[in-house]
């Protein structure tokens, strides 16, 4: 059993006690510890057996545009057919649609395993379940009858077509138009960029979910509607969706990121007119948790490679694993990676409780917590995952910088995760302005208190003290009305550090009851690394927040001047 699989089992069974939590949710009452373990083991076996061998070759070969069609790297379509045959796309889909009806926290294990073994291949289905959930919640009966079962089963894949050349994160600048026809369809015209899996040969059908404006739409994001635009029309003819090019990227060469032109393509509205973003919201939390898990998966895989190399590579008469600098790099990477796994799986479990708890008040509470945690999961775990992969590469020395060992590919492939599904800076602003400010960080305080309740670990006291310092600092900055753009990144990372402190205190406690002495020793040693070497970063962040609190306008003016703004702070 790999370290990642062993740790996943610990997090689900002992730390989160997921089987007991799921037993209280009627749709998942039959999801017991044995079933969770079986799914996790099978997911890791599939990914290590079929996907990992295709990873480096897919990166080298890349994707090709031939006659208007995209060809994926050799073996990718075969691997997808095996994935579909094994029923993996159906894992978290509703039984009414042929799905297995498993919770998101179990599906998250699969996403981490895919990200660890072949992230380029994983990009083809990254949005599949989100598209399924969106169509299930907001699609018309006709659209669901036509497309839902095939999407659930993986016979069709899904894209999310949002970004345009002139409108990136500001979707209000979207210019793509949708003109109604008498038969209830529309004709979509416009260009979308950065479309992951915009075309390929893994499946015959591709369903594009496209944001566009109806003729009478209001300006800005409130005027956007969502449309389903298939690659192939119901009569079997090719829709007017043109692949203009495949982007040449820093990494993820095995995944085609396409520029798509919709030349009057036929489509059908999903959800209410003018509420396209609302229809898409159903897929956002789960999608961002899965992006956070890309950071965890990449770091876990890089850690395993670096450990193996450090054990085999001799220098000075001994394996470099015995050298203190190498031990520091590996221990820090382990503490961040295992902590990130705890945070992501806990957030996924809260999302399951938000969807399925029988008590409305508990559903609402779980959704508030999941919404608070999601931007932290996305931003912290991708940024730290990138740093951790870089640290693992450092263990290899010069060998890490050459391609034969594969670590540099992980670094290239992971970098984009800090950008998509909302840049990490946007996640920080979302956390600060929508999750922390409205209730003066009360939800965060309650969440931290609940995490540390009843924890007997000696690390509980330092974790509680860190949480108290964080909350005091955040509230002082709120009262000073410091500029959000300067405060938010430090606040997000500080929240992440405090939450990981609470989780590591709980993990230190839970490890004592694991039953495997070697695992317990390593887990508790890793907790000590977190508290003594990583959590102290929080004090530097709080000092930064305190400086912003004491003179917020001067800080903004100085930053604008240093950035070269001609008129000082401008609109900071």
């Amino acid at each position: 059993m790999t370290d990642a699989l062993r740790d996943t089992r610990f997090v689900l069974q002992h730390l989160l006690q997921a089987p007991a939590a799921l037993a209280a949710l009627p749709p998942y009452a039959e999801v017991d510890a044995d079933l969770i373990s079986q799914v996790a083991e099978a997911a890791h076996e599939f990914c290590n057996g079929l996907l990992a061998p295709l990873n480096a070759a897919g990166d080298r070969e890349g994707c090709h545009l031939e006659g208007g069609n995209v060809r994926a790297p050799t073996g990718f379509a075969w691997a997808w057919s095996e994935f579909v045959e094994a029923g993996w796309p159906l894992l978290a889909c509703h039984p009414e649609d042929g799905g297995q009806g498993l919770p998101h926290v179990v599906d998250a294990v699969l996403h981490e395993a895919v990200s660890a073994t072949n992230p380029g291949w994983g990009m083809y289905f990254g949005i599949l379940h989100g598209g399924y959930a969106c169509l299930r919640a907001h699609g018309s009966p006709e659209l669901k009858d036509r497309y839902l079962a095939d999407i659930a089963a993986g016979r069709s894949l899904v894209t999310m077509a949002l970004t345009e050349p002139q409108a990136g994160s500001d979707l209000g600048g979207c210019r793509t138009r949708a003109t109604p026809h008498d038969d209830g369809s529309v004709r979509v015209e416009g260009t979308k960029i950065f479309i992951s899996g915009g075309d390929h040969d893994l499946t015959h059908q591709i369903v594009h979910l496209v944001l566009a404006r109806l003729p009478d739409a209001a300006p800005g994001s409130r005027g956007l509607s969502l449309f389903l635009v298939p690659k192939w029309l119901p009569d079997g003819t090719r829709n007017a969706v043109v692949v203009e090019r495949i982007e040449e990227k820093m990494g993820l060469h095995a995944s085609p990121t396409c520029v798509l032109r919709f030349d009057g393509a036929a489509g059908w509205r999903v959800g209410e007119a003018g509420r396209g973003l609302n229809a898409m919201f159903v897929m956002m939390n789960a999608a961002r948790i899965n992006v956070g898990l890309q950071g965890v998966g990449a770091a876990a895989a890089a850690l395993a490679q670096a450990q193996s190399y450090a054990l085999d590579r001799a220098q000075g008469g001994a394996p470099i694993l015995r050298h203190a600098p190498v031990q520091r790099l590996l221990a820090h990477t382990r503490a961040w990676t295992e902590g990130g796994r705890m945070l992501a799986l806990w957030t996924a479990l809260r999302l399951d409780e938000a969807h399925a708890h029988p008590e409305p008040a508990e559903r609402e509470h779980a959704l508030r917590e999941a919404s608070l945690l999601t931007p932290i999961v996305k931003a912290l775990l991708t940024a730290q995952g990138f740093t951790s992969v870089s640290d693992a590469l450092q263990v290899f020395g010069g060998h890490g910088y050459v391609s034969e060992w594969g670590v540099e590919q992980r670094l290239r492939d992971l970098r984009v995760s800090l950008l998509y599904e909302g840049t990490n800076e946007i996640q920080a602003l979302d956390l600060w302005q929508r999750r922390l400010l409205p209730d003066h960080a009360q939800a965060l305080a309650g969440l931290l208190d609940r995490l540390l309740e009843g924890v007997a670990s000696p690390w509980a006291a330092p974790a509680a003290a860190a949480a108290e310092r964080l909350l005091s600092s955040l509230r002082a900055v709120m009262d000073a009305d410091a500029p959000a753009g300067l405060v938010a990144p430090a606040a997000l990372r500080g929240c992440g550090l405090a939450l990981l402190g609470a989780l590591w205190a709980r993990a230190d406690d839970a490890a004592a009851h694991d039953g495997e002495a070697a695992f317990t020793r390593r887990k508790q040693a890793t907790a000590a690394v977190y508290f003594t070497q990583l959590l102290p970063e929080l004090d530097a962040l709080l000092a930064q927040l305190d400086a912003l609190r004491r003179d917020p306008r001067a800080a903004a003016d100085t930053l604008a001047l240093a950035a070269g703004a001609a008129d000082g702070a401008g609109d900071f």
Side-chain angles (χ1 to χ4, degrees):
M1 183 182 297
T2 64
D3 282 356
L5 180 56
R6 176 67 178 88
D7 190 59
T8 297
R9 187 174 74 178
F10 164 77
V11 172
L12 293 174
Q13 310 285 8
H14 296 288
L15 178 70
L16 302 181
Q17 298 182 348
L22 294 170
L25 312 180
Y28 310 129
E30 303 302 318
V31 181
D32 59 14
D34 287 342
L35 178 57
I36 293 173
S37 293
Q38 289 169 11
V39 173
E41 289 172 13
H44 278 253
E45 181 180 355
F46 179 90
C47 292
N48 286 313
L50 273 75
L51 299 187
L54 298 173
N55 187 43
D59 178 65
R60 289 192 299 269
E61 180 182 345
C63 299
H64 305 281
L65 182 59
E66 302 171 359
N69 297 298
V70 174
R71 300 290 175 235
T74 303
F76 273 44
W78 165 78
W80 181 255
S81 68
E82 294 293 306
F83 191 73
V84 170
E85 180 67 23
W88 288 112
L90 291 163
L91 202 64
C93 296
H94 200 281
E96 289 180 1
D97 305 315
Q100 299 176 40
L102 293 180
H104 180 64
V105 71
V106 176
D107 191 49
V109 175
L110 171 66
H111 279 270
E112 185 197 330
V114 171
S115 297
T117 51
N118 197 326
W121 187 90
M123 289 296 295
Y124 290 84
F125 87 103
I127 200 64
L128 180 65
H129 189 263
Y132 160 81
C134 177
L135 186 60
R136 193 172 202 278
H138 296 285
S140 67
E142 294 77 15
L143 286 181
K144 288 192 280 190
D145 285 346
R146 187 178 298 163
Y147 297 105
L148 197 61
D150 281 347
I151 292 173
R155 293 186 292 270
S156 298
L157 278 166
V158 178
T159 77
M160 189 163 61
L162 314 181
T163 308
E164 299 181 5
Q166 80 293 337
S169 299
D170 178 16
L171 294 174
C174 170
R175 296 176 185 167
T176 299
R177 303 184 306 277
T179 305
H181 275 225
D182 292 339
D183 62 0
S185 67
V186 297
R187 296 298 178 269
V188 178
E189 295 181 82
T191 298
K192 299 288 186 177
I193 63 173
F194 300 158
I195 311 305
S196 299
D199 193 67
H200 53 75
D201 55 356
L202 272 65
T203 58
H204 177 69
Q205 181 66 287
I206 301 173
V207 173
H208 304 288
L209 295 176
V210 184
L211 281 180
R213 296 185 184 281
L214 290 163
D216 57 350
S221 60
R222 293 185 178 182
L224 294 173
S225 301
L226 185 65
F227 300 92
L228 185 155
V229 181
K231 177 178 178 178
W232 297 94
L233 294 169
D235 65 4
T237 59
R238 179 82 177 255
N239 207 356
V241 182
V242 179
V243 184
E244 289 195 342
R245 69 175 184 272
I246 302 173
E247 300 286 8
E248 296 291 337
K249 308 190 296 290
M250 173 182 177
L252 292 176
H253 297 147
S255 166
T257 302
C258 299
V259 176
L260 297 182
R261 188 177 74 247
F262 296 88
D263 281 345
W268 291 265
R269 196 177 76 235
V270 177
E272 299 176 38
R275 291 179 60 82
L277 293 180
N278 181 68
M280 292 187 64
F281 181 77
V282 70
M283 64 175 84
M284 290 303 179
N285 277 344
R288 287 170 178 165
I289 293 168
N290 288 341
V291 172
L293 282 164
Q294 290 175 10
V296 175
L303 173 62
Q305 288 176 283
Q307 283 179 305
S308 178
Y309 179 86
L311 188 61
D312 292 339
R313 175 74 169 177
Q315 188 167 304
I320 64 171
L321 186 60
R322 296 186 182 179
H323 296 185
V326 171
Q327 292 173 351
R328 178 186 63 82
L329 289 166
L330 294 174
H332 286 192
T333 299
R334 179 179 295 281
W336 278 116
T337 303
E338 293 182 359
R341 183 178 292 120
M342 291 188 268
L343 182 62
L345 292 180
W346 173 45
T347 305
L349 182 60
R350 291 303 277 157
L351 197 59
D352 287 325
E353 291 169 325
H355 290 159
H357 201 284
E359 297 296 330
E362 289 298 324
R363 289 199 301 272
E364 184 179 347
H365 183 224
L367 182 59
R368 281 199 305 271
E369 289 195 348
S371 298
L372 171 66
L373 292 166
T374 295
I376 301 172
V377 168
K378 193 279 178 185
L380 179 71
L381 302 191
T382 55
Q384 193 55 52
F386 184 77
T387 299
S388 294
V389 173
S390 182
D391 283 349
L393 186 153
Q394 188 78 7
V395 172
F396 286 81
H399 291 289
Y401 197 66
V402 297
S403 60
E404 66 183 280
W405 294 93
V407 184
E408 57 82 32
Q409 181 193 339
R410 295 196 188 281
L411 201 65
R412 289 187 287 104
D413 286 350
L414 184 60
R415 183 59 182 84
V416 72
S417 67
L418 285 70
L419 301 173
Y420 56 32
E421 283 299 332
T423 68
N424 286 1
E425 291 73 20
I426 288 174
Q427 300 300 322
L429 286 169
D430 177 71
L431 175 70
W432 182 252
Q433 295 176 321
R434 297 181 181 176
R435 319 296 172 193
L436 296 176
L437 276 177
D439 71 349
H440 217 235
Q442 286 299 319
L444 175 64
L447 189 154
L448 287 164
D449 284 345
R450 187 165 63 84
L451 269 180
L452 289 167
E453 184 178 357
V455 177
S457 165
W459 298 117
E468 185 177 346
R469 294 197 306 276
L470 171 73
L471 291 165
S472 176
S473 179
L474 292 178
R475 287 164 175 162
V477 172
M478 290 174 186
D479 294 340
D481 195 27
L486 304 188
V487 169
L492 184 144
R493 190 165 179 87
C495 290
L497 284 162
L499 286 163
L500 288 178
L503 285 166
W504 268 116
R506 291 184 69 92
D508 184 68
D509 236 7
H513 307 288
D514 179 80
E516 186 179 315
F519 180 87
T520 296
R521 287 195 303 273
R522 191 177 70 188
K523 180 63 68 174
Q524 293 184 328
T526 307
V529 167
Y530 182 79
F531 281 100
T532 59
Q533 299 178 48
L534 302 183
L535 184 58
E537 181 194 346
L538 178 62
D539 291 325
L541 291 168
L542 299 186
Q544 180 182 338
L545 290 173
D546 186 58
L548 290 170
R549 175 187 64 80
R550 285 186 276 107
D551 202 348
R553 183 50 54 188
D557 289 345
T558 302
L559 188 65
L561 185 62
D567 57 348
D571 295 328
F572 261 76

